[in-house]
Amino acid sequence: MNQIKILWVDDEIDLLKPHILFLEKKNYHLTTCNNGRDAVDMYADGDFDLVFLDENMPGMSGLEVLAEIKEIKSSTPVIMITKSEEEYIMEEAIGSKIADYLIKPVNPNQILLSIKKNLDHSRLISEKTTLDYQKEFRKIALDLSMVNTYEGWVDLYKKLIFWELQLENIEDQGMSEILESQKSEANSQFGKFIERNYEDWYEPKAEHPVLSHTLFKTLVVPELKKKDRPVLFVVIDNLRYDQWKSFESIVANHYKLEKETAYYAILPTATQYARNAIFAGLTPLEMEKKFPQYWKNDVEEGGKNLYEAELLSAQLKRLGLNLKEDYFKITSLASGRKLVDNFKGLKENDLVTVVYNFIDMLSHAKTEMDVVKELAADDKAYRSLTLSWFKNSPLLEIIQQAQQMGFRLIITTDHGTINVKSPSKVIGDKNTSLNLRYKTGRSLTYEDKDVYAVKDPKIIGLPAINMSSSFIFAKNDSFLAYVNNYNHYVSYYRNTYQHGGISLEEMIVPFLVFNPK
């Protein structure tokens, strides 16, 4: 390992000899300078890893030196040391992107800590995170062998996401690979749990988690009944729990999180089923019976989510809620900008509902466009792309306006999505649905180990295309590939983000309530 080179600039550098000797014994290489002008020249000629800079020097001040050396090379950490506790000096130094700020007298251990914080930060975090995950690995493995409740699966999934986010920036990629294998095992066990329990959740008076069709009544209505604030209800299509975590801190600049919970998206975890169920407060089977004019089955022509506003109005009426409300579906930058421009006109509303479709479009674009395949090659990149979108989206501007207008904010989604990697052969007739993570139709032939099959869709609240139709749902990271033109199909869809089936990523999704700061 190369010796770390430090430039220390102070007009009383001779008085700092004990500190310099202390650091040299720790194997740091120190170059000293007693004035700002020479310091700038030395910095330009040298290749320093870090600079200690006295703020109060005759001639060029520390802040003047800082400005010049930042122009030469801005990435080197600069630690400002000063006798002054003047607030404006601190603010100017921090505004100039110093790495640390120390007030004299400083002791050698303070100096050492600041060096480690700035130069060894990544390595120390990496080593500590690796050690902590190694300890946690055994506990997760034990939990995985014992978890048998829907609440337990939520807790385990959140734990896996926590460690995925902790490990994504460390140097030891082996740890991330171990976590990936734990996630894969978790999804395998979760698929078995759903097979054993999902049908029971639809029994009368059965204990079950909050599901898509019970979400609004169970979790949204209590917020509406408080009547102390208007509510902005945002449904971001396809938002996974880990993607929410990627931009949580951005929302936190404007809103304080009051409640974080998870609910279970219904099967199929697809927009036409799960999102319609949220707004209707009904299962798809109930929707087909009660609102045949709004419901379309998989193989029918036309849009499948065209009547969410009408379904929501009917649910509000059924629940006895007489509210001033508006519904907006954002499917383009232009429609997002239009809502930003007009949002202040909604200040008298009790409820504003916004469906935002960007992440769904992103997952489709990854399937169809090579450039997006490159940008969202894996879950880490997919999260990064989601963060970049959110920071620059009209949705963030809408949320900022809502905060200024005193709206309570609810963020949720209709379902998540999973990166599919394992093809599973399926055969069906020409009226079989096209989704890669579930199929519905007659005479389906499939690989039993890869799917959860439901012969009678009514028992899980689903309509049937015809009398003998069944549903199959892909488990783990499988995708359902037709035998015809199999190799082309597999190469085209492998490593794309799909939804409709059974996985932690698709079914366990966030529900978040915020109050404005």
Tab-separated table of all heavy atoms in Angstrom, residues 318-345:
chain	number	residue	atom	x	y	z
A	318	ARG	N	-69.647	4.179	-1.571
A	318	ARG	CA	-70.019	2.969	-0.818
A	318	ARG	C	-69.589	3.074	0.644
A	318	ARG	O	-70.242	2.558	1.542
A	318	ARG	CB	-69.371	1.756	-1.498
A	318	ARG	CG	-69.977	0.420	-1.143
A	318	ARG	CD	-69.487	-0.677	-2.072
A	318	ARG	NE	-68.070	-0.921	-2.000
A	318	ARG	CZ	-67.204	-0.696	-2.992
A	318	ARG	NH1	-67.619	-0.171	-4.129
A	318	ARG	NH2	-65.929	-0.960	-2.847
A	319	LEU	N	-68.442	3.744	0.868
A	319	LEU	CA	-67.922	3.894	2.233
A	319	LEU	C	-68.551	5.074	2.966
A	319	LEU	O	-68.200	5.349	4.116
A	319	LEU	CB	-66.399	4.065	2.184
A	319	LEU	CG	-65.593	2.853	1.690
A	319	LEU	CD1	-64.134	3.234	1.457
A	319	LEU	CD2	-65.690	1.690	2.675
A	320	GLY	N	-69.461	5.794	2.294
A	320	GLY	CA	-70.138	6.923	2.928
A	320	GLY	C	-69.255	8.139	3.104
A	320	GLY	O	-69.467	8.942	4.016
A	321	LEU	N	-68.227	8.286	2.236
A	321	LEU	CA	-67.304	9.419	2.333
A	321	LEU	C	-67.667	10.460	1.273
A	321	LEU	O	-67.503	10.231	0.069
A	321	LEU	CB	-65.864	8.955	2.128
A	321	LEU	CG	-65.299	8.038	3.216
A	321	LEU	CD1	-63.988	7.424	2.777
A	321	LEU	CD2	-65.112	8.799	4.514
A	322	ASN	N	-68.166	11.578	1.724
A	322	ASN	CA	-68.536	12.653	0.807
A	322	ASN	C	-67.378	13.646	0.759
A	322	ASN	O	-67.276	14.555	1.584
A	322	ASN	CB	-69.828	13.323	1.295
A	322	ASN	CG	-70.294	14.405	0.340
A	322	ASN	OD1	-69.953	14.374	-0.846
A	322	ASN	ND2	-71.041	15.362	0.854
A	323	LEU	N	-66.486	13.461	-0.211
A	323	LEU	CA	-65.253	14.238	-0.270
A	323	LEU	C	-65.162	15.017	-1.577
A	323	LEU	O	-65.641	14.571	-2.622
A	323	LEU	CB	-64.033	13.306	-0.193
A	323	LEU	CG	-63.903	12.378	1.011
A	323	LEU	CD1	-62.717	11.445	0.822
A	323	LEU	CD2	-63.745	13.178	2.300
A	324	LYS	N	-64.477	16.143	-1.508
A	324	LYS	CA	-64.088	16.839	-2.742
A	324	LYS	C	-62.775	16.196	-3.188
A	324	LYS	O	-61.764	16.288	-2.473
A	324	LYS	CB	-63.916	18.335	-2.482
A	324	LYS	CG	-63.531	19.132	-3.733
A	324	LYS	CD	-63.557	20.631	-3.466
A	324	LYS	CE	-62.983	21.437	-4.626
A	324	LYS	NZ	-63.538	21.105	-5.942
A	325	GLU	N	-62.802	15.523	-4.325
A	325	GLU	CA	-61.614	14.764	-4.728
A	325	GLU	C	-61.394	14.840	-6.236
A	325	GLU	O	-62.327	15.067	-7.000
A	325	GLU	CB	-61.715	13.304	-4.268
A	325	GLU	CG	-62.936	12.544	-4.752
A	325	GLU	CD	-62.672	11.647	-5.946
A	325	GLU	OE1	-61.500	11.430	-6.307
A	325	GLU	OE2	-63.658	11.171	-6.534
A	326	ASP	N	-60.123	14.647	-6.621
A	326	ASP	CA	-59.739	14.580	-8.033
A	326	ASP	C	-58.745	13.449	-8.226
A	326	ASP	O	-57.973	13.108	-7.305
A	326	ASP	CB	-59.100	15.892	-8.497
A	326	ASP	CG	-60.132	16.944	-8.852
A	326	ASP	OD1	-60.834	16.759	-9.871
A	326	ASP	OD2	-60.227	17.949	-8.116
A	327	TYR	N	-58.769	12.879	-9.428
A	327	TYR	CA	-57.888	11.759	-9.779
A	327	TYR	C	-57.087	12.157	-11.029
A	327	TYR	O	-57.651	12.700	-11.988
A	327	TYR	CB	-58.732	10.514	-10.065
A	327	TYR	CG	-57.978	9.392	-10.766
A	327	TYR	CD1	-57.400	8.363	-10.039
A	327	TYR	CD2	-57.857	9.386	-12.154
A	327	TYR	CE1	-56.708	7.350	-10.684
A	327	TYR	CE2	-57.160	8.372	-12.801
A	327	TYR	CZ	-56.596	7.363	-12.065
A	327	TYR	OH	-55.897	6.362	-12.707
A	328	PHE	N	-55.762	11.884	-11.001
A	328	PHE	CA	-54.894	12.177	-12.152
A	328	PHE	C	-54.015	10.969	-12.443
A	328	PHE	O	-53.425	10.391	-11.515
A	328	PHE	CB	-53.996	13.383	-11.856
A	328	PHE	CG	-54.750	14.640	-11.540
A	328	PHE	CD1	-55.083	14.941	-10.226
A	328	PHE	CD2	-55.145	15.502	-12.546
A	328	PHE	CE1	-55.789	16.102	-9.915
A	328	PHE	CE2	-55.854	16.663	-12.250
A	328	PHE	CZ	-56.179	16.958	-10.935
A	329	LYS	N	-53.915	10.608	-13.703
A	329	LYS	CA	-52.992	9.545	-14.119
A	329	LYS	C	-51.885	10.197	-14.954
A	329	LYS	O	-52.157	10.826	-15.983
A	329	LYS	CB	-53.701	8.472	-14.942
A	329	LYS	CG	-52.767	7.307	-15.323
A	329	LYS	CD	-53.465	6.261	-16.164
A	329	LYS	CE	-54.453	5.464	-15.347
A	329	LYS	NZ	-55.029	4.340	-16.104
A	330	ILE	N	-50.650	10.051	-14.504
A	330	ILE	CA	-49.506	10.660	-15.182
A	330	ILE	C	-48.776	9.569	-15.970
A	330	ILE	O	-48.210	8.642	-15.391
A	330	ILE	CB	-48.546	11.324	-14.169
A	330	ILE	CG1	-49.292	12.282	-13.242
A	330	ILE	CG2	-47.404	12.018	-14.902
A	330	ILE	CD1	-49.998	13.414	-13.928
A	331	THR	N	-48.780	9.698	-17.284
A	331	THR	CA	-48.126	8.705	-18.144
A	331	THR	C	-47.071	9.330	-19.042
A	331	THR	O	-46.502	8.661	-19.889
A	331	THR	CB	-49.169	7.989	-19.022
A	331	THR	OG1	-49.876	8.973	-19.782
A	331	THR	CG2	-50.150	7.185	-18.191
A	332	SER	N	-46.813	10.633	-18.858
A	332	SER	CA	-45.807	11.304	-19.689
A	332	SER	C	-45.272	12.514	-18.944
A	332	SER	O	-45.885	12.997	-17.974
A	332	SER	CB	-46.424	11.769	-21.011
A	332	SER	OG	-47.385	12.794	-20.769
A	333	LEU	N	-44.129	13.018	-19.398
A	333	LEU	CA	-43.552	14.222	-18.793
A	333	LEU	C	-44.514	15.392	-18.939
A	333	LEU	O	-44.694	16.189	-18.010
A	333	LEU	CB	-42.217	14.546	-19.475
A	333	LEU	CG	-41.462	15.765	-18.940
A	333	LEU	CD1	-41.095	15.577	-17.483
A	333	LEU	CD2	-40.218	16.034	-19.774
A	334	ALA	N	-45.191	15.494	-20.101
A	334	ALA	CA	-46.117	16.610	-20.342
A	334	ALA	C	-47.275	16.592	-19.351
A	334	ALA	O	-47.652	17.631	-18.802
A	334	ALA	CB	-46.642	16.549	-21.783
A	335	SER	N	-47.854	15.405	-19.091
A	335	SER	CA	-48.982	15.346	-18.144
A	335	SER	C	-48.510	15.619	-16.718
A	335	SER	O	-49.236	16.207	-15.910
A	335	SER	CB	-49.709	14.004	-18.239
A	335	SER	OG	-48.835	12.915	-17.986
A	336	GLY	N	-47.266	15.238	-16.408
A	336	GLY	CA	-46.705	15.557	-15.088
A	336	GLY	C	-46.513	17.051	-14.911
A	336	GLY	O	-46.856	17.624	-13.872
A	337	ARG	N	-45.982	17.708	-15.945
A	337	ARG	CA	-45.758	19.153	-15.881
A	337	ARG	C	-47.082	19.914	-15.781
A	337	ARG	O	-47.198	20.907	-15.075
A	337	ARG	CB	-44.983	19.631	-17.110
A	337	ARG	CG	-43.562	19.082	-17.199
A	337	ARG	CD	-42.533	20.197	-17.124
A	337	ARG	NE	-42.648	20.998	-15.920
A	337	ARG	CZ	-42.044	20.737	-14.770
A	337	ARG	NH1	-41.281	19.674	-14.661
A	337	ARG	NH2	-42.186	21.524	-13.734
A	338	LYS	N	-48.086	19.412	-16.482
A	338	LYS	CA	-49.403	20.065	-16.434
A	338	LYS	C	-49.964	20.036	-15.018
A	338	LYS	O	-50.522	21.042	-14.533
A	338	LYS	CB	-50.355	19.365	-17.406
A	338	LYS	CG	-51.715	20.036	-17.503
A	338	LYS	CD	-52.601	19.338	-18.521
A	338	LYS	CE	-53.991	19.967	-18.568
A	338	LYS	NZ	-54.887	19.244	-19.514
A	339	LEU	N	-49.807	18.894	-14.329
A	339	LEU	CA	-50.306	18.812	-12.952
A	339	LEU	C	-49.508	19.726	-12.030
A	339	LEU	O	-50.080	20.367	-11.133
A	339	LEU	CB	-50.273	17.362	-12.447
A	339	LEU	CG	-50.836	17.148	-11.031
A	339	LEU	CD1	-52.255	17.697	-10.897
A	339	LEU	CD2	-50.807	15.664	-10.657
A	340	VAL	N	-48.186	19.817	-12.233
A	340	VAL	CA	-47.364	20.754	-11.452
A	340	VAL	C	-47.911	22.170	-11.600
A	340	VAL	O	-48.093	22.898	-10.612
A	340	VAL	CB	-45.881	20.699	-11.909
A	340	VAL	CG1	-45.088	21.853	-11.278
A	340	VAL	CG2	-45.245	19.368	-11.536
A	341	ASP	N	-48.199	22.556	-12.837
A	341	ASP	CA	-48.661	23.920	-13.115
A	341	ASP	C	-50.035	24.201	-12.493
A	341	ASP	O	-50.332	25.341	-12.133
A	341	ASP	CB	-48.728	24.160	-14.628
A	341	ASP	CG	-47.348	24.144	-15.275
A	341	ASP	OD1	-46.352	24.321	-14.544
A	341	ASP	OD2	-47.264	23.945	-16.505
A	342	ASN	N	-50.857	23.169	-12.367
A	342	ASN	CA	-52.241	23.372	-11.917
A	342	ASN	C	-52.504	22.932	-10.471
A	342	ASN	O	-53.627	23.031	-9.990
A	342	ASN	CB	-53.211	22.609	-12.836
A	342	ASN	CG	-53.165	23.128	-14.266
A	342	ASN	OD1	-52.937	24.315	-14.483
A	342	ASN	ND2	-53.360	22.252	-15.240
A	343	PHE	N	-51.450	22.454	-9.782
A	343	PHE	CA	-51.677	21.824	-8.477
A	343	PHE	C	-52.241	22.802	-7.443
A	343	PHE	O	-53.067	22.417	-6.605
A	343	PHE	CB	-50.384	21.175	-7.955
A	343	PHE	CG	-50.630	20.218	-6.828
A	343	PHE	CD1	-51.065	18.929	-7.080
A	343	PHE	CD2	-50.473	20.608	-5.500
A	343	PHE	CE1	-51.326	18.037	-6.045
A	343	PHE	CE2	-50.727	19.728	-4.460
A	343	PHE	CZ	-51.156	18.439	-4.739
A	344	LYS	N	-51.817	24.047	-7.502
A	344	LYS	CA	-52.304	25.024	-6.500
A	344	LYS	C	-53.822	25.184	-6.557
A	344	LYS	O	-54.459	25.554	-5.565
A	344	LYS	CB	-51.617	26.374	-6.700
A	344	LYS	CG	-50.181	26.409	-6.171
A	344	LYS	CD	-49.583	27.798	-6.208
A	344	LYS	CE	-48.274	27.863	-5.429
A	344	LYS	NZ	-47.272	26.916	-5.933
A	345	GLY	N	-54.415	24.882	-7.704
A	345	GLY	CA	-55.868	24.974	-7.832
A	345	GLY	C	-56.616	23.879	-7.092
A	345	GLY	O	-57.852	23.877	-7.048
